[in-house]
Amino acid sequence: MQREIEESASSRSPSASRSPVDLRECIAAIRISGDLERVGDLAKNIAKRTVKIVERPRVPRAIIGLKSMHDVAALQLKDALDAYAQRDVERARAVWSQ
């Protein structure tokens, strides 16, 4: 139902040249804020599990894997947000294709 409403609102949105803030931009910002909240929730869950992993043997291998995943995810999040802020479609596509 949410998608139907968003699609309907987007298709009826005034052009950006007639409106200082395009309705599609507002919808995108709302979606992004929800996604960022989810990223935060997942990061919290990963942190809790990491504490449990540290208590077990074979920690160095797990820590290296977690660090590697963190580096990739943090860079992708930064690139995605930068692409959005700069309205850089090609950069956004590059993040998506990764």
Side-chain angles (χ1 to χ4, degrees), residues 32-51:
I32 290 167
S33 68
D35 289 343
L36 288 174
E37 182 178 0
R38 178 129 172 87
V39 167
D41 291 343
L42 293 170
K44 183 177 80 171
N45 292 340
I46 291 168
K48 286 180 181 178
R49 286 187 170 84
T50 302
V51 170

Side-chain angles (χ1 to χ4, degrees), residues 2 4 11 16 24 28 41-43 49 55 64 85-86 90:
Q2 178 183 356
E4 289 176 23
S11 66
R24 291 170 291 202
D41 291 343
L42 293 170
R49 286 187 170 84
E55 297 170 354
I64 290 169
Q86 297 167 3
E90 290 307 314

Side-chain angles (χ1 to χ4, degrees), residues 9-98:
S10 293
S11 66
R12 294 184 185 143
S13 178
S15 70
S17 63
R18 293 191 337 227
S19 173
V21 177
D22 190 345
L23 184 56
R24 291 170 291 202
E25 289 181 39
C26 292
I27 291 169
I30 290 168
R31 284 183 178 177
I32 290 167
S33 68
D35 289 343
L36 288 174
E37 182 178 0
R38 178 129 172 87
V39 167
D41 291 343
L42 293 170
K44 183 177 80 171
N45 292 340
I46 291 168
K48 286 180 181 178
R49 286 187 170 84
T50 302
V51 170
K52 298 258 187 217
I53 289 171
V54 170
E55 297 170 354
R56 296 185 175 182
R58 303 184 123 200
V59 172
R61 179 179 265 174
I63 297 291
I64 290 169
L66 287 170
K67 174 76 171 115
S68 176
M69 286 188 288
H70 163 269
D71 292 344
V72 170
L75 183 60
Q76 283 187 316
L77 179 59
K78 180 191 178 309
D79 286 346
L81 292 173
D82 287 348
Y84 174 73
Q86 297 167 3
R87 305 293 194 259
D88 187 338
V89 175
E90 290 307 314
R91 189 171 182 180
R93 283 189 181 132
V95 173
W96 179 77
S97 69
Q98 290 175 356

